[in-house]
Amino acid sequence: MPKENKSPTMADVAREAGVALGTVSRVVNGEPVGKEFREKVNEAIRKLGYRYNPSGRALRTDRTNTVAVIIPNTINPFFSMLVYHINIALEKHNYKMMLCFTEYDRDREPEFIQLAQHNRVDGIIALTYHPSLVIPEGIPFVTIDRFFSSSVPCVSSDNFGGGYLAARKLKELGCTNVAFMRTGSAITNEPSKRRDGFVSACVEMGLPFEVICLEDSEPFEKFEEFLTRHLEHGRMSLDGLFVGTDSLAWKIIRILRKMNVRVPEDVQVIGFDGSRMFGEQEMIVSTIVQPVREIAETCVNTVLTRDFSNVPSLICLPVKYAYGGTTKE
Amino acid sequence: MPKENKSPTMADVAREAGVALGTVSRVVNGEPVGKEFREKVNEAIRKLGYRYNPSGRALRTDRTNTVAVIIPNTINPFFSMLVYHINIALEKHNYKMMLCFTEYDRDREPEFIQLAQHNRVDGIIALTYHPSLVIPEGIPFVTIDRFFSSSVPCVSSDNFGGGYLAARKLKELGCTNVAFMRTGSAITNEPSKRRDGFVSACVEMGLPFEVICLEDSEPFEKFEEFLTRHLEHGRMSLDGLFVGTDSLAWKIIRILRKMNVRVPEDVQVIGFDGSRMFGEQEMIVSTIVQPVREIAETCVNTVLTRDFSNVPSLICLPVKYAYGGTTKE
DNA sequence: TTGTATGCGTTATCAG
DNA sequence: CTGATAACGCATACAA
């Protein structure tokens, strides 16, 4: 009889079913067991409400069924959605998530990697910015939006294609003079390709364009200067903007409105990410939508791949354009 | 010599330091140990890069250093912020978070409680809606925004005070005819008091008011009807709205704008929560701000309280008003 | 104060 | 196919 007030163990189940401890373990793990025995064990499990103890299993197998997720925060809706879908995907696989917020502090990235390893996680999914981050070996490691080497799988959306699409869309909507704006170009990562795709399409279509990238250290006011510089007699010489992220697009639009420039009548703006207010249908701005859920699921499936040796090193997921009120319909 | 490619154990440290296993354990756990011994052990720990194995400790102590957080999702910015600050607070205490998304599916709430218990979590923080949810005994359980009984601590913001404040603010801003709007009144929880506080202040000030609450089952169009009903010759008879959440306020404002009613010129709107776009300074709507971080930290501190017998049963945190563009400044 | 030994719940090995 | 038993890493009661 199992002790009151304590969850039953395999030994309790074995006693109840009149079989050996090992047999219970085999049933629990789905290993081949004679039909009669299996039924007896399952009956006892049901009766006692038995569930295996993760700590016991982890101690024995050295697998914790936990994956660490390293990400700046959960405030940006894109990160928030990412974490959301990663957690759901992990749960589906009976895995737990260990959530680590770096707050964009590069130094915390290696610290969390260490912490995760100390906690014996079975894998790590990380969205990082440390310029010379070293990826540990011997543990499945998947990165988001940043390519390290062919031995570290990187999952991202088609950033080049997204930039390309944005340029074509602006042209299609009647723009004749466009610009790309972004911030934080300290490291070269997949999102950097948004610019390349944009430029590539502009050149291809013969669409005049400009590019302004702000380093992390540069003051935000430079964007304001840039925009004012294009203001002639109260009219913008630019009529289309592609902005690196929805978050930045939102800020830019606020500046434009303060300058009495109408969006989308005078200037059309396309962002990147696909952020939605309160998770509703409508986008916050017209944007290139990242397939967040697919990205999350791909990360999870990849990091849980047993044979990590022949996993693709760069997985690129398709994006699409979505109207969000800051372009002409 | 510890095996290559495997993290060192206490036995390795003991061997390295030339002391007994138990001594290492005592040092690691900060129990009194002779100075010389402690130094030898610490030296060995440093040298081998030892960290205790959480599974081993958990198995032995029956404490996992994990707290389950049960919440609908991470899409709503309020939930997102809550999870964010809970995770940070837990990490500070060297605890991990087990995140469970119910998706507002009442049936999943008891399921996750079970799952959490099977995972031997040390406590549960839950934001739930199941009308007859039964709180397990024998495990620290803290709820957010919903009072169950005096033995289950409930953390929430001052919802009554928030409603009261909203009414006073609308009056102060010149409103003469106001209304309260909310949705999802299936269960009575702390947020229900937003209405009570609002009504109370209106009565006190002699401010004419109306109330419209939609059941979960009722179609959203009823709000539209309600608003149209107050439209006379293109002018609203209402000039102030207090809406149950920022999310709903946002939807209401969209309806108003579609009706060619100007916000805040014709109608001023105050929401509840304090949601910010992209985590910036500016609020999405004028709102009653919940102290999310304090709520999160209070939950964590409470759930980790060793002596759960004399913990307060209802902890109410102060709110404040914040301008967000949908009221007159 | 320090050392020794046991058991937490599980899986895996080996003998039957 | 099944049963018995050792080992995983740690905390702790007990012995020295």
Side-chain angles (χ1 to χ4, degrees):
Chain A
M1 184 76 68
K3 282 290 197 69
E4 298 293 331
N5 196 12
K6 247 182 125 299
S7 19
T9 80
M10 279 192 174
D12 297 321
V13 175
R15 208 175 306 122
E16 176 72 28
V19 302
L21 177 61
T23 307
V24 178
S25 174
R26 285 187 276 261
V27 170
V28 168
N29 290 336
E31 286 167 43
V33 168
K35 196 183 167 205
E36 279 183 45
F37 281 80
R38 186 174 49 244
E39 281 168 0
K40 275 193 294 186
V41 170
N42 279 326
E43 171 63 19
I45 287 177
R46 217 186 39 69
K47 180 170 171 193
L48 300 182
Y50 168 81
R51 271 281 246 139
Y52 74 87
N53 181 322
S55 302
R57 178 179 286 185
L59 182 56
R60 190 54 230 250
T61 62
D62 215 29
R63 305 207 89 235
T64 52
N65 269 45
T66 300
V67 168
V69 174
I70 302 176
I71 198 163
N73 59 47
T74 233
I75 291 171
N76 182 304
F78 176 65
F79 296 153
S80 178
M81 288 305 240
L82 214 42
V83 167
Y84 175 72
H85 285 113
I86 288 176
N87 191 55
I88 289 179
L90 282 173
E91 198 207 315
K92 234 177 258 165
H93 290 267
N94 192 28
Y95 270 71
K96 284 159 278 177
M97 175 175 75
M98 174 180 162
L99 196 47
C100 308
F101 296 132
T102 63
E103 304 285 3
Y104 293 105
D105 180 347
R106 287 142 177 63
D107 293 338
R108 288 203 207 165
E109 294 174 4
E111 284 170 18
F112 275 126
I113 291 179
Q114 265 224 324
L115 181 63
Q117 290 188 289
H118 282 145
N119 277 296
R120 272 74 173 178
V121 300
D122 299 331
I124 299 178
I125 298 173
L127 197 160
T128 62
Y129 299 93
H130 194 296
S132 55
L133 189 67
V134 21
I135 309 301
E137 310 212 354
I139 178 172
F141 198 109
V142 173
T143 84
I144 300 176
D145 273 358
R146 185 167 170 211
F147 183 80
F148 284 88
S149 79
S150 61
S151 62
V152 183
C154 167
V155 177
S156 86
S157 58
D158 182 4
N159 289 281
F160 187 94
Y164 193 90
L165 177 57
R168 295 199 66 93
K169 201 73 201 177
L170 286 175
K171 165 102 179 178
E172 184 187 324
L173 290 168
C175 293
T176 58
N177 199 6
V178 299
F180 172 75
M181 309 177 76
R182 71 159 291 194
T183 178
S185 29
I187 61 165
T188 322
N189 52 16
E190 292 304 308
S192 309
K193 296 182 184 167
R194 291 169 195 176
R195 187 191 75 128
D196 305 331
F198 181 78
V199 168
S200 177
C202 286
V203 169
E204 233 177 85
M205 302 182 299
L207 180 62
F209 69 93
E210 289 184 60
V211 165
I212 174 169
C213 296
L214 243 58
E215 302 289 330
D216 284 330
S217 55
E218 295 182 89
F220 193 77
E221 284 73 36
K222 289 219 171 179
F223 280 135
E224 218 159 333
E225 287 172 28
F226 173 83
L227 292 171
T228 342
R229 212 181 315 139
H230 289 79
L231 207 56
E232 293 159 7
H233 312 300
R235 278 188 57 87
M236 279 290 268
S237 55
L238 292 167
D239 55 7
L241 296 178
F242 173 46
V243 188
T245 67
D246 287 346
S247 167
L248 183 57
W250 182 253
K251 288 186 189 134
I252 298 287
I253 288 167
R254 270 215 313 260
I255 295 179
L256 287 172
R257 297 222 159 112
K258 224 187 300 171
M259 291 164 61
N260 281 319
V261 174
R262 292 171 305 165
V263 176
E265 293 83 353
D266 302 334
V267 180
Q268 302 188 59
V269 178
I270 295 182
F272 204 108
D273 274 353
S275 312
R276 288 171 296 164
M277 179 87 74
F278 298 116
E280 287 178 32
Q281 283 319 107
E282 286 83 5
M283 298 293 159
I284 296 176
V285 297
S286 294
T287 188
I288 304 299
V289 185
Q290 298 203 54
V292 196
R293 181 173 158 192
E294 285 72 20
I295 293 175
E297 288 175 348
T298 305
C299 286
V300 169
N301 290 336
T302 305
V303 85
L304 295 185
T305 303
R306 287 306 179 134
D307 183 10
F308 217 67
S309 59
N310 58 4
V311 94
S313 58
L314 180 54
I315 305 175
C316 222
L317 272 18
V319 297
K320 60 180 192 226
Y321 167 81
Y323 171 75
T326 59
T327 46
K328 295 176 185 162
E329 248 171 312
Chain B
M1 183 77 69
K3 282 288 199 70
E4 297 295 331
N5 196 12
K6 247 183 126 298
S7 19
T9 81
M10 278 192 175
D12 297 322
V13 175
R15 208 174 306 123
E16 176 72 30
V19 303
L21 178 62
T23 307
V24 178
S25 174
R26 280 168 211 130
V27 171
V28 168
N29 290 338
E31 285 168 45
V33 167
K35 194 184 169 204
E36 280 182 44
F37 281 80
R38 187 173 49 243
E39 281 169 359
K40 275 193 291 184
V41 169
N42 279 327
E43 171 62 19
I45 287 178
R46 216 186 39 68
K47 180 171 172 194
L48 300 182
Y50 169 81
R51 269 285 241 128
Y52 73 88
N53 181 322
S55 303
R57 177 180 287 184
L59 184 57
R60 185 59 227 256
T61 61
D62 216 28
R63 305 207 90 235
T64 53
N65 268 43
T66 300
V67 168
V69 174
I70 302 177
I71 198 163
N73 57 47
T74 233
I75 291 173
N76 182 303
F78 176 64
F79 296 153
S80 178
M81 288 305 240
L82 213 42
V83 167
Y84 175 74
H85 284 113
I86 289 176
N87 191 55
I88 289 178
L90 283 173
E91 198 206 314
K92 234 177 258 166
H93 291 267
N94 193 27
Y95 270 71
K96 284 159 279 181
M97 174 175 76
M98 174 180 162
L99 195 48
C100 308
F101 296 133
T102 63
E103 304 286 3
Y104 293 106
D105 180 347
R106 287 142 176 65
D107 294 338
R108 290 202 206 167
E109 293 173 6
E111 285 170 17
F112 275 126
I113 291 179
Q114 264 224 327
L115 181 63
Q117 290 188 289
H118 281 144
N119 278 86
R120 271 76 175 175
V121 300
D122 300 330
I124 299 178
I125 298 173
L127 197 160
T128 62
Y129 298 92
H130 194 297
S132 55
L133 189 67
V134 21
I135 308 301
E137 311 211 353
I139 177 172
F141 198 110
V142 173
T143 84
I144 300 176
D145 273 358
R146 185 167 169 207
F147 183 79
F148 284 88
S149 80
S150 62
S151 62
V152 184
C154 167
V155 177
S156 86
S157 58
D158 181 4
N159 288 281
F160 187 94
Y164 193 91
L165 177 57
R168 294 199 68 92
K169 201 75 202 178
L170 285 176
K171 165 103 180 176
E172 184 187 322
L173 290 169
C175 294
T176 58
N177 197 9
V178 299
F180 172 74
M181 308 177 76
R182 71 159 290 194
T183 178
S185 28
I187 62 166
T188 322
N189 51 17
E190 291 304 308
S192 310
K193 296 182 184 166
R194 291 169 195 177
R195 189 192 74 130
D196 305 331
F198 181 78
V199 168
S200 178
C202 286
V203 168
E204 234 176 84
M205 301 182 300
L207 180 62
F209 70 94
E210 289 185 58
V211 165
I212 174 170
C213 297
L214 243 59
E215 301 289 330
D216 283 330
S217 56
E218 295 182 271
F220 192 78
E221 284 72 37
K222 290 220 170 179
F223 279 136
E224 218 159 331
E225 287 172 29
F226 173 83
L227 292 172
T228 343
R229 212 180 314 138
H230 289 79
L231 208 58
E232 293 159 7
H233 312 300
R235 278 189 57 88
M236 280 290 270
S237 56
L238 293 167
D239 56 6
L241 296 178
F242 173 45
V243 188
T245 66
D246 287 345
S247 166
L248 183 57
W250 183 253
K251 288 186 189 133
I252 298 287
I253 289 168
R254 270 216 312 261
I255 296 179
L256 287 172
R257 298 222 160 112
K258 223 188 300 171
M259 293 164 61
N260 282 319
V261 174
R262 291 171 305 167
V263 177
E265 292 83 354
D266 302 334
V267 180
Q268 302 187 59
V269 179
I270 295 182
F272 204 109
D273 274 351
S275 312
R276 288 171 297 165
M277 178 88 75
F278 298 115
E280 287 177 33
Q281 284 317 107
E282 286 82 4
M283 299 293 160
I284 296 175
V285 298
S286 294
T287 188
I288 305 298
V289 184
Q290 298 203 54
V292 195
R293 180 173 159 190
E294 285 71 19
I295 293 176
E297 288 174 350
T298 306
C299 286
V300 168
N301 291 335
T302 306
V303 84
L304 295 185
T305 303
R306 288 306 180 131
D307 184 10
F308 217 67
S309 59
N310 58 3
V311 93
S313 59
L314 180 54
I315 305 174
C316 223
L317 273 18
V319 298
K320 59 179 193 226
Y321 166 81
Y323 171 76
T326 60
T327 47
K328 295 176 185 162
E329 247 170 313

